[in-house]
Amino acid sequence: MTDRLNTLADSYLDHIRIAVEANDRGAPFRDFIDNWHAFRSEHDHHRSSGDRPRWFNNPNAAKRLAMLESLDFRSAGAVAIMAHAHNAPAVYRLKYAARDKTTRLIVDHAVPIAVMVDMLFKPRADLTRDGIRALLIKWHHLGLLTHEENARLNAAGLNSKMPADWDYLDIFARYHSVGIEAA
């Protein structure tokens, strides 16, 4: 990673610290955390050619394969959609263009942003750059799910929280609790 990208990544750690110290729970933590991740990532596909962060809403499996393969968790269903995009690209493109939910992929924070933010607001949270960086390295992991799998998380009330019995060890506990298995 270049010095410039390190500086940009660190700037988002500073934004996080300032927001927490100001008790600003309404700060755009998702932007701060995802931008931090994009700048510290070894993978260029997390940034545009001008080094701006890229967002991954409704990614196209035919066009963004390298990015999707770099994610920390890929469900079996998501991998099947990726295979379909590879094996039948014309059919996939038509379904994707028609917004067919059977081709829709969701990039998800395995540990929701709200959970990480709550950790930062704990009384003894280490709000130094190193402390925030360590927290994010431990908990910021991206998963790739199908539209249906994401709906299962939401139906279980786990769109922005971890399961009630979470042990703080299993980063992918939300997925496991609703039967979403890795490929």
Side-chain angles (χ1 to χ4, degrees):
M1 183 175 354
T2 67
D3 288 341
R4 179 177 177 274
L5 293 178
N6 269 329
T7 298
L8 290 168
D10 284 349
S11 75
Y12 284 99
L13 298 176
D14 293 340
H15 287 309
I16 293 167
R17 178 188 49 77
I18 291 165
V20 173
E21 287 175 350
N23 200 30
D24 182 6
R25 285 193 171 265
F29 286 103
R30 177 176 305 277
D31 292 345
F32 296 163
I33 293 170
D34 284 343
N35 287 350
W36 166 82
H37 180 262
F39 288 125
R40 75 169 287 276
S41 177
E42 296 174 8
H43 303 289
D44 291 339
H45 48 256
H46 289 289
R47 296 179 302 280
S48 69
S49 59
D51 278 339
R52 298 309 320 145
R54 281 194 176 163
W55 301 98
F56 303 124
N57 300 336
N58 193 21
N60 182 320
K63 293 181 180 177
R64 304 299 302 275
L65 187 60
M67 181 276 294
L68 298 175
E69 288 177 339
S70 76
L71 300 178
D72 303 307
F73 180 98
R74 288 174 308 287
S75 74
V79 169
I81 291 172
M82 293 165 62
H84 173 66
H86 177 74
N87 296 328
V91 174
Y92 174 81
R93 277 194 300 277
L94 287 172
K95 286 182 172 185
Y96 182 84
R99 299 183 189 270
D100 182 331
K101 290 182 180 177
T102 64
T103 63
R104 184 147 185 230
L105 294 170
I106 308 291
V107 176
D108 176 72
H109 293 93
V111 174
I113 295 288
V115 173
M116 289 183 272
V117 169
D118 285 344
M119 291 175 185
L120 290 163
F121 275 91
K122 296 270 189 223
R124 285 186 231 121
D126 180 354
L127 296 179
T128 63
R129 275 186 185 170
D130 288 341
I132 297 169
R133 184 182 301 110
L135 183 139
L136 295 179
I137 287 170
K138 182 173 183 175
W139 301 114
H140 186 276
H141 296 274
L142 297 175
L144 184 65
L145 310 175
T146 66
H147 181 269
E148 182 275 328
E149 291 164 339
N150 190 62
R152 275 195 270 163
L153 284 175
N154 292 341
L158 298 175
N159 53 326
S160 63
K161 61 184 177 182
M162 295 301 283
D165 63 349
W166 185 41
D167 60 7
Y168 287 83
L169 298 174
D170 182 5
I171 292 167
F172 306 116
R174 289 169 59 238
Y175 305 152
H176 299 143
S177 73
V178 296
I180 300 170
E181 296 302 323

